[in-house]
Amino acid sequence: MIYVKLSLDCGEFMKNIAFVIQRYGEEIVGGSETYCRELAERLVNTYNVDILTTCAKSYESWKNEYPEGKTVENGVTVLRFRNDKKRNRLFGRYTKFLQKKKNKTVLDEVTWMNLQGPYSKNLLAYLENHQDNYDLIIFVTYLYFNSYYGLQIAPHKSVLIPTAHDEPPIYYSMFNTVFHLAQGHVFLTEEEKDFVFKRFPGLQSNYRVIGMGIDDQTKQLTATTEIDSKIEKAASEDYVVYVGRIDTEKNIGELVDYFNRFIKDTGSDLRLYLTGSLQMDIPKQKNISYLGFVSEQEKKYLLEHARAFIMPSRFESFSIATLEAMNFGAPVFVNKSCEVLNGHVERSQAGLSYRNYEEFKDGLQSMLTNTTLVENMRGNGKKYVSQHYEWDVIIKKYVEFIDECCQNTKR
């Protein structure tokens, strides 16, 4: 049941907004999912906000783990729908087959989408039957079943936050129509916007480049919070750090290889710490350590004391982790082949980038030896985040854009 309440500030009816996202919850670790949740929880002061999502926690299986039905979480109404089936076990094999196939058909690509999931016909049926209850429907990420089919239900009142980057699926012809269907788009970075408009020529869209705020949580962290002795000991060493999902998709294998070569070539005692969700094997060796999951306070502590935060990923649409590192004063060292990461570095002057091992070696050496450079980077990063990514700035832009889109649907 969709409810309407009065705004005490203006005496007008509050607009009803729906976010469509593949999975949702405080336990969910994922860039798009975190972005959706953080945004929705701040927009409840201005709109009635519903989340339309599935019962899944894992994107690898889409197993139904949350109870089906309605809950209210931090002021946000969450409607969860069961997935009809788990992710098909043939999905990985079919993905590799399709990427190699030269003459793909739309049927091939739709088969891929249906195998990928999350496959919830009830979610789509609800959207079909209740679309008139919403002033605007916002789809977060372009990639999944719920966005692909959901955007076709009410395109005239739909906005897509694609979180797009240069990856094989975005070149599938099945997405040509979907990107053109949305009334509006929100891009996280200028690089994402440029990429999407190049990929989909002729795109007529009301759009904004807005990004994500990251300041509120960090302001709540204090020096009085207890730090695990293991983290304190680690931070007493000379080290660089990576925070995030530790898997091949994030190019961690190359980072480990480059770091080992750096230690061998320079004889440095520098250590590399990895922290986050472990999805691959990390070789046991003296200079590389996996610290497991850490609290927000411990993450802040590690970043504040690090020589640098390294982000080796080639594919990022925004990179919350990189901006958090800047906000905590860590110089950032990023993969230059990722235009989004390189764009953050060039605009902020808060770090360096590398394309190959030689540039990795030279850049890391500079960060270890050039004290003036590093101190400037620390200050520049904090300034960059404060000016562009505080939540008050982000929410103001979103409210203006949502109200404009809602007005357009009434014309």
Side-chain angles (χ1 to χ4, degrees):
M1 174 69 72
I2 305 302
Y3 61 91
V4 177
K5 60 185 176 183
L6 293 174
S7 167
L8 298 179
D9 293 331
C10 62
E12 297 179 352
F13 287 109
M14 295 177 74
K15 298 180 179 69
N16 296 319
I17 305 298
F19 283 90
V20 181
I21 183 79
Q22 59 272 9
R23 51 191 187 135
Y24 185 93
E26 290 188 354
E27 305 93 337
I28 303 299
V29 178
S32 298
E33 293 88 347
T34 299
Y35 181 54
C36 181
R37 181 172 55 81
E38 296 272 6
L39 182 58
E41 289 177 0
R42 287 167 175 81
L43 287 174
V44 292
N45 296 321
T46 309
Y47 308 108
N48 296 318
V49 179
D50 284 359
I51 302 293
L52 309 185
T53 189
T54 72
C55 297
K57 289 184 179 180
S58 169
Y59 74 94
E60 294 179 322
S61 70
W62 303 125
K63 178 183 177 182
N64 293 309
E65 297 185 69
Y66 286 112
E68 186 177 22
K70 175 181 174 180
T71 60
V72 178
E73 301 173 17
N74 294 329
V76 179
T77 300
V78 182
L79 301 172
R80 290 191 174 91
F81 300 87
R82 289 182 61 82
N83 287 311
D84 300 287
K85 52 190 176 183
K86 296 181 183 179
R87 173 173 281 181
N88 193 289
R89 60 185 179 83
L90 298 177
F91 172 69
R93 188 185 307 173
Y94 189 81
T95 298
K96 293 179 181 178
F97 158 76
L98 196 59
Q99 289 175 1
K100 293 178 181 179
K101 188 176 181 181
K102 293 183 178 181
N103 299 314
K104 301 178 184 65
T105 67
V106 173
L107 179 59
D108 292 331
E109 295 167 355
V110 169
T111 299
W112 172 85
M113 177 63 74
N114 293 343
L115 290 174
Q116 177 185 222
Y119 196 97
S120 177
K121 290 185 289 187
N122 285 343
L123 190 159
L124 296 178
Y126 179 90
L127 189 59
E128 176 77 41
N129 295 330
H130 295 83
Q131 58 180 290
D132 292 339
N133 293 333
Y134 296 106
D135 296 284
L136 201 67
I137 303 166
I138 303 174
F139 294 85
V140 184
T141 87
Y142 80 95
L143 187 63
Y144 294 107
F145 182 98
N146 47 285
S147 291
Y148 177 71
Y149 289 103
L151 275 163
Q152 300 176 53
I153 291 174
H156 65 288
K157 58 170 62 179
S158 293
V159 166
L160 175 62
I161 305 177
T163 65
H165 52 262
D166 192 349
E167 59 182 347
I170 202 167
Y171 295 100
Y172 293 171
S173 60
M174 67 185 297
F175 291 117
N176 292 348
T177 302
V178 167
F179 268 78
H180 286 271
L181 283 176
Q183 178 206 142
H185 294 81
V186 175
F187 303 108
L188 304 186
T189 64
E190 289 290 337
E191 289 77 17
E192 182 194 6
K193 182 258 295 182
D194 292 343
F195 172 74
V196 168
F197 276 87
K198 181 179 179 181
R199 164 63 185 90
F200 301 99
L203 186 65
Q204 300 293 321
S205 172
N206 183 16
Y207 73 87
R208 294 291 187 281
V209 179
I210 298 180
M212 175 180 179
I214 66 169
D215 62 311
D216 287 359
Q217 188 180 59
T218 63
K219 288 178 180 177
Q220 297 171 6
L221 302 178
T222 66
T224 59
T225 306
E226 185 175 348
I227 303 296
D228 189 284
S229 58
K230 177 184 69 173
I231 302 300
E232 285 188 327
K233 183 178 184 301
S236 68
E237 305 281 354
D238 204 19
Y239 67 95
V240 293
V241 63
Y242 166 83
V243 178
R245 198 170 75 246
I246 302 167
D247 66 16
T248 55
E249 291 183 1
K250 292 294 184 179
N251 205 27
I252 300 302
E254 182 181 86
L255 171 58
V256 170
D257 175 57
Y258 280 9
F259 187 78
N260 280 330
R261 291 171 65 182
F262 176 84
I263 296 300
K264 182 179 179 180
D265 290 348
T266 64
S268 173
D269 290 328
L270 188 69
R271 299 184 69 91
L272 168 63
Y273 293 138
L274 306 170
T275 179
S277 174
L278 187 62
Q279 305 291 329
M280 60 179 286
D281 292 331
I282 300 296
K284 294 182 180 180
Q285 46 200 291
K286 176 184 176 182
N287 288 77
I288 300 178
S289 299
Y290 171 60
L291 298 180
F293 285 98
V294 297
S295 68
E296 288 299 318
Q297 181 65 50
E298 289 166 341
K299 178 172 70 175
K300 176 177 184 288
Y301 190 83
L302 282 169
L303 288 167
E304 285 177 334
H305 292 83
R307 287 300 196 103
F309 166 81
I310 304 181
M311 173 55 78
S313 176
R314 297 188 181 95
F315 306 112
E316 294 292 315
S317 58
F318 185 62
S319 191
I320 298 169
T322 300
L323 290 172
E324 282 186 338
M326 289 184 184
N327 200 39
F328 291 139
V332 299
F333 196 28
V334 305
N335 192 326
K336 196 170 187 175
S337 64
C338 177
E339 292 185 357
V340 167
L341 293 174
N342 193 53
H344 281 315
V345 166
E346 290 187 345
R347 287 190 293 272
S348 67
Q349 295 297 297
L352 299 175
S353 59
Y354 63 91
R355 284 173 293 196
N356 50 48
Y357 170 68
E358 290 303 322
E359 291 185 0
F360 180 91
K361 176 183 175 182
D362 293 343
L364 195 51
Q365 282 279 45
S366 295
M367 288 181 156
L368 295 177
T369 59
N370 192 330
T371 304
T372 301
L373 174 69
V374 167
E375 288 307 308
N376 286 338
M377 288 176 178
R378 292 184 188 277
N380 290 342
K382 291 181 178 181
K383 183 179 179 181
Y384 178 68
V385 172
S386 176
Q387 288 181 342
H388 300 286
Y389 298 107
E390 287 196 351
W391 268 115
D392 288 346
V393 175
I394 299 298
I395 293 302
K396 181 180 178 181
K397 291 180 180 179
Y398 258 106
V399 170
E400 291 174 353
F401 184 62
I402 288 172
D403 288 348
E404 181 181 330
C405 289
C406 289
Q407 188 63 37
N408 290 339
T409 65
K410 298 177 181 178
R411 293 177 182 172

